[in-house]
Amino acid sequence: MICIKRILPLILCLLLVSCSKPVLKNPLAEKSATGIFVSDGTEYPVTVLNENGAVTVIPDKPEGYSITFTQDGSSVSFDGITLDGADGLSRFYPLYEMALGINTEVTKTELKHSNGCTFK
C-alpha cells in the first residue's frame, strides 16, 4: 500500500515547481542585441553592443553613427571618427542603463525603463 506521508512531499514539490516563474533574461546584458528602441513615441531600430561595461548604440539611421557610453561619459562617432564637443546625455542614454539593468523592468517582450522608454 502506498504511504500518504511519502506522496505528500512529492505533490508539494510538484506544486512549487509548477507555480514558480521563469527567470526573465535581459537581452542587452548579452554581447550584442538588435531591436527597436522607443523614446517619446518615436521608434529607432538599433544594435546595442555591451562589452566590458561600455555600451555602444548603433542606430540604423544615420548610417555610420554610433554613441558609446561608459562610467566616464560618452563619445559620439561618425564613420569611425570621434566627434569633439559631443559630450552630454543622448536620447539613447536609457539603453546604457537598460544594458546594466539600472531602472529597468524586464518582461517577456520588452525592457521598460523608468523614464518610459522601451526596448523590444
Side-chain angles (χ1 to χ4, degrees):
M1 186 164 182
I2 299 176
C3 181
I4 293 180
K5 287 184 179 180
R6 290 185 181 179
I7 294 177
L8 190 57
L10 180 60
I11 292 172
L12 284 172
C13 286
L14 290 173
L15 181 65
L16 288 173
V17 168
S18 66
C19 292
S20 65
K21 292 183 180 179
V23 176
L24 299 174
K25 196 173 183 181
N26 181 345
L28 297 182
E30 300 296 319
K31 191 169 184 158
S32 70
T34 301
I36 304 293
F37 175 66
V38 182
S39 175
D40 296 327
T42 305
E43 294 186 354
Y44 304 93
V46 295
T47 300
V48 180
L49 307 174
N50 185 355
E51 298 181 274
N52 302 323
V55 177
T56 302
V57 179
I58 306 167
D60 282 359
K61 294 179 183 175
E63 199 171 308
Y65 172 78
S66 69
I67 183 165
T68 302
F69 300 96
T70 64
Q71 284 184 332
D72 299 327
S74 63
S75 63
V76 176
S77 299
F78 189 75
D79 283 339
I81 301 168
T82 302
L83 305 175
D84 289 335
D87 288 341
L89 292 181
S90 161
R91 79 175 65 245
F92 297 111
Y93 180 76
L95 284 168
Y96 172 68
E97 290 191 342
M98 289 175 174
L100 300 180
I102 301 169
N103 300 322
T104 303
E105 175 188 345
V106 180
T107 69
K108 286 184 179 181
T109 58
E110 65 187 11
L111 298 175
K112 295 180 181 179
H113 192 268
S114 63
N115 72 354
C117 296
T118 60
F119 178 82
K120 43 186 171 175

